[in-house]
């Protein structure tokens, strides 16, 4: 699958987001990290299911056209298997390079579960739990799944309701669907800053403990 994270935002948009995070963090002792990944999982079964579903209806009429079904025998069976294998390999290759097509063969529940798991892994991998006041917030965007996840450390989780996080996620998602990704992300970061400022106002000795923007799958 191509690197969707690298093409999700332009270089100028990335710089704008980093600037907004830096400015927002000056108003609060909290830490905000925006992480954008191409996908949360590679979904190999989706390629197999999709390729089978597409190759079978293509192989049957092609076999009939080339060999006919006047009689059932070993020759026609081998012809069918050969044609099916060709169509399977072709559609499997296409699915691996067409994210929007591949998503059709993945359930919504699986997409949500994989994004949640990837967000949690990212939270710990990037050490957001190590902030001084347990007030790190991860804004996680998985491009392939079209999903956004907000994850807050325990210090914030105890003070901000799940409904407030859900409203932020919904606004970001709507903005991305409208083609206004950078605007939606920047607005969400500003709103997260407001929530953090209410509970974790800036302190004189505050330092920027974490990266502001992480783009990629490493």
């Amino acid at each position: 699958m191509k690197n969707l994270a690298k093409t999700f935002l332009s270089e100028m948009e990335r710089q704008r987001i980093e600037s907004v995070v830096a400015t927002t963090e000056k108003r609060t002792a909290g830490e905000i990290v925006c992480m954008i990944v191409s996908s949360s999982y590679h979904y190999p079964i989706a390629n197999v299911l999709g390729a089978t579903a597409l190759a079978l209806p293509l192989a049957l009429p092609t076999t009939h056209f080339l060999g006919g079904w006047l009689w059932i025998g070993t020759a026609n069976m081998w012809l069918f298997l050969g044609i099916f294998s060709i169509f399977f390999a072709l559609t499997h290759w296409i699915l691996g390079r067409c994210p929007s097509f591949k998503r059709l063969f993945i359930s919504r529940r699986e997409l949500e579960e994989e994004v949640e798991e990837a967000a949690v892994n990212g939270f710990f991998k990037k050490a957001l739990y190590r902030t001084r006041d347990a007030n790190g917030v991860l804004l996680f965007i998985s491009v392939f799944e079209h999903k956004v996840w907000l994850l807050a450390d325990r210090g914030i989780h105890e003070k901000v309701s799940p409904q407030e996080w859900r409203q932020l996620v919904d606004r970001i998602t709507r903005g991305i669907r409208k083609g206004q990704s950078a605007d939606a992300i920047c607005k969400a970061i500003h709103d997260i800053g407001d929530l953090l400022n209410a509970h974790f106002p800036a302190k004189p000795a505050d330092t920027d403990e974490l990266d502001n923007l992480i783009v990629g799958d490493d």
Side-chain angles (χ1 to χ4, degrees):
M1 190 183 299
K2 60 184 179 181
N3 196 325
L4 301 176
K6 297 295 185 182
T7 58
F8 181 68
L9 298 168
S10 68
E11 183 60 33
M12 185 176 296
E13 288 173 328
R14 293 181 199 176
Q15 293 175 1
R16 178 185 168 196
I17 290 171
E18 287 190 88
S19 177
V20 170
V21 173
T23 301
T24 300
E25 287 183 338
K26 291 178 181 179
R27 300 189 287 117
T28 173
E31 290 285 334
I32 303 170
V33 175
C34 179
M35 180 183 294
I36 301 170
V37 300
S38 294
S39 65
S40 295
Y41 186 55
H42 56 286
Y43 306 98
I45 299 301
N47 285 1
V48 175
L49 291 175
T52 301
L54 295 169
L56 188 59
L58 291 172
L60 288 172
T62 303
T63 302
H64 176 68
F65 176 76
L66 294 177
W69 293 109
L70 297 178
W71 56 277
I72 303 298
T74 303
N76 270 15
M77 180 58 67
W78 281 111
L79 177 62
F80 167 75
L81 290 176
I83 293 172
F84 175 81
S85 297
I86 293 171
F87 279 123
F88 181 90
L90 177 62
T91 52
H92 191 281
W93 180 85
I94 292 173
L95 285 166
R97 286 154 182 78
C98 298
S100 58
F101 199 21
K102 180 175 179 175
R103 263 195 315 274
L104 297 175
F105 299 96
I106 308 172
S107 70
R108 181 176 179 179
R109 179 179 179 181
E110 183 178 5
L111 291 173
E112 292 177 347
E113 288 176 348
E114 294 297 346
V115 172
E116 179 180 5
E117 181 178 346
V120 172
N121 288 338
F123 187 91
F124 287 98
K125 183 178 180 180
K126 299 303 178 180
L128 271 76
Y129 62 95
R130 292 181 180 174
T131 57
R132 182 178 57 187
D133 298 317
N135 54 7
V137 176
L138 174 64
L139 170 52
F140 185 86
I141 300 172
S142 197
V143 182
F144 170 77
E145 290 86 354
H146 295 177
K147 297 291 182 183
V148 177
W149 202 270
L150 269 168
L151 194 62
D153 207 346
R154 64 184 184 278
I156 302 170
H157 187 71
E158 295 169 354
K159 300 177 184 298
V160 180
S161 70
Q163 180 62 24
E164 289 178 287
W165 294 129
R166 172 49 55 189
Q167 289 174 353
L168 279 171
V169 167
D170 290 343
R171 288 202 294 269
I172 300 169
T173 304
R174 285 197 299 269
I176 292 174
R177 287 174 180 169
K178 293 178 180 178
Q180 302 169 349
S181 301
D183 290 340
I185 293 170
C186 288
K187 178 63 167 61
I189 291 169
H190 184 274
D191 292 342
I192 292 170
D194 289 341
L195 290 173
L196 292 177
N197 183 47
H199 303 288
F200 299 94
K203 299 177 181 178
D206 277 343
T207 58
D208 192 352
E209 302 177 66
L210 302 170
D211 293 329
N212 293 336
L213 175 64
I214 301 171
V215 178
D217 306 314
D218 296 332

